Amino acid sequence: VLNVVVRMLTRNSKQTQWFLPTSIMQAALEGRMLTSGTTTSLRNNYMRCKVDRVTRIHQPMWCDGHWYLMIIDVPRMKLIYLDSLRDPAQAEARNITMMRV
């Protein structure tokens, strides 16, 4: 469901934002590299503008059985995370997970 929403947002968004599917996060957390075919597909389907024009990158994240959203604010060089169940006890684990991705 998340990847369907990501695809819809990609089609309807400004050209300066990337909405990325869960496969990038999953690969990063599993410590594996994406294949060149997967990388090409991701670039063609989700990264509609060149990296020097990106203002925000939206990445769904999974940590300890809970989904949240990481946003990379490129111009401000900040990580933002949106979490409907923000738990201070989980903040450090989520921060580590975001940094790994």
Side-chain angles (χ1 to χ4, degrees), residues 4 7-8 10 14 34 36 40 50 73 77 86 93 99:
V4 170
R7 191 71 177 128
M8 289 169 47
T10 297
K14 294 187 240 176
L34 297 171
S36 62
T40 299
K50 294 189 180 204
D73 187 328
M77 297 191 316
R86 185 172 275 194
M99 294 303 290

Side-chain angles (χ1 to χ4, degrees), residues 56-93:
R56 287 193 170 198
I57 301 170
H58 301 78
Q59 176 66 67
M61 300 292 294
W62 173 261
C63 184
D64 299 324
H66 177 68
W67 286 101
Y68 59 97
L69 180 65
M70 173 178 70
I71 301 172
I72 302 169
D73 187 328
V74 177
R76 293 185 181 113
M77 297 191 316
K78 290 188 177 188
L79 281 180
I80 302 164
Y81 89 96
L82 303 177
D83 187 347
S84 60
L85 298 173
R86 185 172 275 194
D87 179 0
Q90 296 295 324
E92 183 64 25

